Amino acid sequence: MSRFFLVLFALGAMVACTGPSNDNLDLADARFIVSPTLEIPFRETVAEVLTEEVEKRTSLKMGKSQNWEGATLIVLALQDDPEVYGVPLPVAEKRLKNEGYRILHGKHQGGDVLWVIGADPRGLLYGIGKLLRLAHMEEGRLRVPKDLDISSSPEYALRGHQFGYRNTANSWDAWSVEQFDQHFREQVLFGANSFENIPFQDPESSVHFKIDPREMEVRMSEICAKYDVDYWVWTPAPEDLSEDGAHEEGLRQQEAFYARCPKLNGVFVPGGDPGENHPSRLIPYLKDLSEVLKKYHPDAGIWVSLQGFDEEKTDYFFDYLKTTEPDWLKGLVNGPSSPPLEIERQRLPKKYQYRFYPDITHTVRCHYPVERWDQAFALTLGREPCNPQPEQYAKYFRRDVGYTDGFITYSDGSHDDVNKVIWSQLGWDSAQDLRQIVLEYCRFFFGREVAQEATEAIFALEDNWDGPILENGGIAETLALWQKLEEQYPALSDNWRWQQLVMRAYYDAYIKERLAYEKGLETKANAVLARAREIGAEQAMEEALEHLEKAQTELVAQDLKQKVFEYAEALFRSIGAQTSVPKYKARSAERGAVLDFIDHPLNNRWWLEDEFEKIKKLASEEEKLARLEFIRTYEFPGEGSFYDNVSSADAQHVISETDDAIDYLWENEGLSRKRLSTQLFQFSPVLVYDGLDAGSDYLIRVSGYGEALLRANGQRLKPTKYEKGFEQFKEFPLPKDLIKEGKLKITFDQPDEAHLNWRKQSRVTDVWLLKQ
């Protein structure tokens, strides 16, 4: 949505929220009544959630009552309660479905009553969540719109998120029990009903652990019991079940955990990632595991995914289900690298449930890559930055989740907090308006006064990542908006959600400034190389390097960079966010260490430094000059010719988009010195050209790795050069009769390489169409 329409949305919403006071029900002096039919301790839990969350935002201390005397009451009840302390519940036209709620404004003896009615205990919590998200809360004031009458029940039965207390997560290993309790509560208030931990962590694996992970495994279970939500665990099988004793040792480890875990609802065993066990070995292990699980948690279920399964393994598994129909299996999970959702749904017998395990936490080399992401962001922000993407994740939710019975998302940190709420709320009602979801998020976590502008600012952060950075004029506007909010609402400076969003705005703006500057330096270096025949190869390289090295000696936008570091420090203090390996002891460079890449070269400086060293060793001046000329014209092949970095956001002729996000090569822990274009790739790109000279000869040049089975307008071409290494070249003469109308479509057949790891599979990085 354009900024213009966002502003209109904000203005309209502000009008709606600031109507006359007689349109609002004042709850500042309200007392609350809790139905006595709620069991202890859940009765205390709902009271705590309501009173504590209101007090945090208003300083109001809401009193509890067991009688109906008083001007204003909030009554928490269950739909099957015949009455609450002598007063019958309001008549309902139809029963609420499981976990549903009703919020209703009524009267009793002249006083106002706000009913929050749950279909069941969970539904009551979800009703409280909706009430808190709708309420206008500020210091000393608590109001809701009058004449409320909302009934709602969830669309999907399973709505959850993974929270692994392990060093791989970029913040959670630094959390206390109290932080997890509060965070799980907040997730429930936005509609989540399941939380998945990753047990069996080495107590020495993280310097950030507040308590032994074996204790946290149990405490998380207790938190889930407190809020009446489901507790799941992700527990891979032994990686090689064919090894002697592996099967038995896996069962022993699991049983010890089940025995000490007070609540457990689901055990998810990935079929692959990690491990490559054949289902003929995995299935007996799962069957035995289910028997162990039932000893301690009779209602819990075993779930498995087919991640990494080839066709033979997949057929074996579904044939087993069809012929055996085992009762020990609860359901199937679809995760990254599983067979397609529609295929699994079609082949899965109806007796089994089907859970989605989507990755909403990563940006590249993942399930849902950022679309049209500029390489400068991929190199610096990396795989786990703060990534609010309501539009993108809503699109994927609505495309994919309908095949399933619900989801527990894959997450590895607090950076994807907005995405979790988007999925939880769409899991409740997939037709919901996105901006209303984000508005409620901002109202609840940041306050009513800032909610409208903060909503706009979150959507603006997503817009920052749309397409080429240097063509995105909104990045500066986004920063200006967050700077305005930063100045106007200093009380939010200690709020970790606020901290990571503002930090992202500064980071994006800094990268744009650096990118423009460093691209300019490379342009100047190339201008020097154009004079190499005049001044000599050695002097040309020396002067070119002088320009390139200004990126390190004549710095730009350091005020923006400083703000990023200040917010990173604040995030470490507030939630233990590990944005650097050396400074904050992040697990690895790929795990949210955005500070370590903030000054990563955004031009080809490293590659040029290495190339110049190679050129200096060439035997003759002519060889040196020829190589310098090739480097200078690498991306600029001349009039009538074309060049495309196939996965770059600004590629002119590429119409394909990678769908697996491994188009950013990760090597040397993100510090590859290869040419930038070599670090991008697609397996089978599609390029389209128009207006070509039908009377001219053309040559197609391709760089990449491995094979390149190229077709021009559907016809497979034969190469005259066929080198398979990085930064080597394949060349294909283009017959004139294929471009009679001046149009050309280049495609690539994929070779049969399913047996290879993706890093070893063939890919395309650069394509030239050279007019001869």
Side-chain angles (χ1 to χ4, degrees):
M1 181 178 285
S2 70
R3 298 292 167 84
F4 173 76
F5 286 111
L6 275 172
V7 171
L8 286 183
F9 164 78
L11 290 174
M14 280 191 277
V15 171
C17 292
T18 57
S21 59
N22 60 6
D23 288 341
N24 294 310
L25 175 62
D26 188 349
L27 299 174
D29 297 321
R31 292 175 296 113
F32 70 95
I33 296 174
V34 183
S35 170
T37 64
L38 279 171
E39 295 183 0
I40 302 292
F42 192 76
R43 194 186 312 169
E44 282 80 12
T45 296
V46 295
E48 287 175 7
V49 170
L50 178 62
T51 57
E52 290 176 2
E53 297 304 320
V54 167
E55 184 176 358
K56 290 173 188 175
R57 293 160 175 81
T58 66
S59 299
L60 296 171
K61 297 183 181 294
M62 194 175 293
K64 185 176 180 180
S65 179
Q66 292 186 3
N67 65 72
W68 286 79
E69 296 178 2
T72 306
L73 293 169
I74 299 174
V75 181
L76 310 179
L78 299 176
Q79 70 174 348
D80 288 332
D81 290 337
E83 46 81 22
V84 177
Y85 294 115
V87 177
L89 271 65
V91 176
E93 294 184 1
K94 58 182 180 180
R95 286 182 60 80
L96 296 166
K97 297 179 181 178
N98 290 347
E99 300 187 348
Y101 61 81
R102 186 183 185 193
I103 304 175
L104 175 69
H105 175 217
K107 293 283 189 178
H108 178 74
Q109 297 181 350
D112 287 298
V113 179
L114 188 66
W115 290 87
V116 182
I117 302 170
D120 42 42
R122 282 187 186 178
L124 188 53
L125 266 184
Y126 297 131
I128 292 172
K130 184 63 175 179
L131 172 62
L132 293 171
R133 303 198 311 270
L134 285 176
H136 301 170
M137 291 186 280
E138 54 193 327
E139 184 67 24
R141 303 184 73 180
L142 174 63
R143 297 171 294 152
V144 297
K146 273 188 176 179
D147 302 323
L148 274 177
D149 190 352
I150 301 172
S151 293
S152 185
S153 298
E155 182 176 347
Y156 289 92
L158 180 57
R159 309 173 306 280
H161 307 287
Q162 191 177 78
F163 289 86
Y165 187 65
R166 58 176 184 162
N167 68 335
T168 307
N170 56 41
S171 55
W172 292 328
D173 52 342
W175 283 23
S176 64
V177 174
E178 292 73 23
Q179 284 175 299
F180 274 113
D181 185 299
Q182 178 63 30
H183 198 60
F184 282 17
R185 172 192 292 189
E186 291 163 350
Q187 296 294 325
V188 170
L189 293 177
F190 277 87
N193 68 3
S194 302
F195 300 96
E196 184 170 74
N197 186 26
I198 301 177
F200 311 122
Q201 302 300 314
D202 181 353
E204 303 301 319
S205 62
S206 173
V207 299
H208 303 290
F209 281 147
K210 294 293 189 296
I211 64 173
D212 191 304
R214 291 167 294 191
E215 179 182 352
M216 186 64 85
E217 294 164 4
V218 176
R219 301 301 294 274
M220 281 185 168
S221 174
E222 293 170 347
I223 294 169
C224 288
K226 173 181 176 180
Y227 294 111
D228 189 33
V229 291
D230 289 353
Y231 184 51
W232 288 60
V233 289
W234 180 90
T235 57
E239 290 202 23
D240 187 356
L241 285 167
S242 66
E243 292 184 355
D244 290 343
H247 183 115
E248 293 73 19
E249 178 57 31
L251 296 180
R252 281 194 293 271
Q253 184 187 44
Q254 295 279 333
E255 181 167 13
F257 168 67
Y258 299 160
R260 68 177 187 269
C261 191
K263 178 184 177 71
L264 187 59
N265 302 91
V267 175
F268 167 27
V269 181
D273 191 19
E276 296 183 0
N277 290 302
H278 192 275
S280 60
R281 291 190 180 276
L282 181 62
I283 288 171
Y285 172 79
L286 295 176
K287 182 179 179 181
D288 290 349
L289 190 63
S290 71
E291 295 176 2
V292 175
L293 178 62
K294 294 295 182 183
K295 287 170 55 179
Y296 302 94
H297 303 280
D299 296 326
I302 295 290
W303 298 66
V304 66
S305 70
L306 310 187
Q307 289 171 261
F309 274 32
D310 58 20
E311 184 176 356
E312 186 275 328
K313 287 183 178 180
T314 301
D315 288 342
Y316 184 101
F317 177 81
F318 282 116
D319 287 345
Y320 169 80
L321 291 190
K322 184 178 180 180
T323 58
T324 308
E325 295 188 349
D327 292 330
W328 56 262
L329 182 67
K330 182 76 169 181
L332 181 66
V333 178
N334 182 285
S337 76
S338 284
L341 281 157
E342 61 273 22
I343 300 300
E344 287 195 330
R345 173 81 279 178
Q346 182 180 14
R347 300 187 69 177
L348 184 65
K350 294 186 182 300
K351 70 178 290 185
Y352 302 108
Q353 295 182 43
Y354 192 31
R355 170 195 150 184
F356 198 24
Y357 180 45
D359 178 354
I360 66 169
T361 200
H362 292 135
T363 52
V364 292
R365 298 179 296 283
C366 63
H367 192 185
Y368 292 137
V370 180
E371 297 174 351
R372 302 185 69 241
W373 211 27
D374 194 293
Q375 186 181 23
F377 282 145
L379 291 172
T380 54
L381 283 168
R383 196 169 183 238
E384 287 181 4
C386 174
N387 65 333
Q389 296 167 269
E391 296 281 4
Q392 175 167 313
Y393 281 111
K395 179 181 75 173
Y396 288 136
F397 182 100
R398 289 164 176 156
R399 185 190 73 183
D400 294 342
V401 179
Y403 291 103
T404 71
D405 299 306
F407 58 87
I408 297 178
T409 70
Y410 168 42
S411 177
D412 251 332
S414 50
H415 60 285
D416 58 10
D417 192 65
V418 171
N419 301 336
K420 290 190 182 79
V421 165
I422 293 294
W423 275 65
S424 291
Q425 280 292 288
L426 291 179
W428 189 276
D429 177 3
S430 63
Q432 280 193 81
D433 180 78
L434 281 181
R435 276 161 177 76
Q436 181 62 30
I437 295 173
V438 178
L439 178 65
E440 291 183 8
Y441 177 92
C442 293
R443 184 187 292 145
F444 184 76
F445 290 118
F446 305 144
R448 180 190 63 83
E449 187 178 4
V450 68
Q452 302 293 342
E453 288 185 294
T455 298
E456 178 185 348
I458 286 174
F459 279 95
L461 284 176
E462 182 173 22
D463 290 342
N464 277 7
W465 285 1
D466 184 16
I469 290 174
L470 297 183
E471 297 175 16
N472 191 334
I475 292 175
E477 296 175 20
T478 301
L479 176 61
L481 177 54
W482 280 107
Q483 287 176 319
K484 173 191 171 187
L485 299 179
E486 180 186 31
E487 181 178 352
Q488 289 180 339
Y489 302 98
L492 290 170
S493 62
D494 293 331
N495 182 312
W496 67 265
R497 291 178 168 91
W498 185 263
Q499 290 166 350
Q500 65 179 9
L501 293 167
V502 182
M503 176 181 167
R504 247 290 309 285
Y506 277 106
Y507 201 112
D508 290 358
Y510 178 60
I511 295 306
K512 181 172 182 177
E513 292 288 333
R514 280 191 55 232
L515 180 62
Y517 178 55
E518 294 191 17
K519 276 186 173 289
L521 295 179
E522 187 167 353
T523 298
K524 291 178 180 178
N526 281 330
V528 172
L529 297 184
R531 298 168 41 235
R533 288 197 174 274
E534 301 172 25
I535 61 178
E538 292 287 342
Q539 184 174 342
M541 289 187 286
E542 182 178 341
E543 292 184 15
L545 284 176
E546 288 177 2
H547 286 294
L548 295 169
E549 289 169 358
K550 289 179 181 179
Q552 296 176 290
T553 60
E554 298 179 16
L555 307 178
V556 296
Q558 293 302 288
D559 55 330
L560 303 179
K561 178 181 175 180
Q562 181 60 32
K563 292 290 289 188
V564 171
F565 275 77
E566 289 174 6
Y567 275 106
E569 177 66 22
L571 279 164
F572 182 70
R573 292 179 179 178
S574 59
I575 57 167
Q578 297 137 40
T579 53
S580 169
V581 174
K583 188 171 186 179
Y584 298 121
K585 303 298 184 290
R587 167 63 177 80
S588 65
E590 202 172 13
R591 297 293 180 177
V594 296
L595 296 188
D596 297 348
F597 296 92
I598 194 169
D599 286 324
H600 190 288
L602 300 181
N603 58 23
N604 289 299
R605 172 166 56 90
W606 283 355
W607 181 77
L608 287 167
E609 288 172 350
D610 295 344
E611 287 299 306
F612 289 170
E613 288 301 313
K614 296 175 186 176
I615 291 171
K616 290 176 183 178
K617 298 175 183 178
L618 294 177
S620 69
E621 178 73 2
E622 188 57 37
E623 289 178 285
K624 294 177 182 179
L625 292 172
R627 183 60 182 172
L628 289 178
E629 181 65 8
F630 174 80
I631 288 172
R632 182 184 73 82
T633 59
Y634 194 96
E635 297 182 15
F636 310 99
E639 187 70 25
S641 296
F642 307 96
Y643 164 80
D644 285 280
N645 174 352
V646 299
S647 286
S648 175
D650 57 2
Q652 296 298 304
H653 301 96
V654 180
I655 64 170
S656 55
E657 292 186 9
T658 185
D659 62 359
D660 49 25
I662 52 177
D663 57 337
Y664 292 97
L665 184 64
W666 178 263
E667 61 178 17
N668 193 29
E669 287 296 290
L671 299 178
S672 173
R673 294 180 68 89
K674 286 185 171 66
R675 186 175 180 86
L676 295 185
S677 63
T678 307
Q679 298 178 48
L680 296 173
F681 62 88
Q682 289 189 30
F683 291 119
S684 51
V686 179
L687 297 89
V688 173
Y689 305 81
D690 198 1
L692 301 180
D693 183 356
S696 296
D697 292 321
Y698 287 90
L699 179 74
I700 302 172
R701 179 187 293 157
V702 175
S703 185
Y705 179 83
E707 307 293 339
L709 308 181
L710 185 147
R711 292 183 183 271
N713 286 337
Q715 180 174 314
R716 177 75 69 82
L717 298 188
K718 294 182 178 180
T720 54
K721 174 187 276 190
Y722 204 76
E723 300 170 334
K724 295 186 179 182
F726 280 115
E727 296 176 14
Q728 292 184 331
F729 304 98
K730 302 171 183 69
E731 294 182 347
F732 303 82
L734 180 62
K736 289 181 181 179
D737 61 353
L738 288 179
I739 55 169
K740 289 179 180 179
E741 298 180 1
K743 298 179 183 296
L744 174 65
K745 182 177 183 179
I746 296 175
T747 59
F748 293 83
D749 296 342
Q750 284 193 261
D752 182 8
E753 298 177 332
H755 59 290
L756 297 178
N757 178 276
W758 69 266
R759 296 179 188 275
K760 299 296 184 182
Q761 291 175 350
S762 299
R763 77 284 308 269
V764 177
T765 62
D766 311 78
V767 175
W768 293 259
L769 182 61
L770 302 172
K771 189 174 183 180
Q772 300 301 289

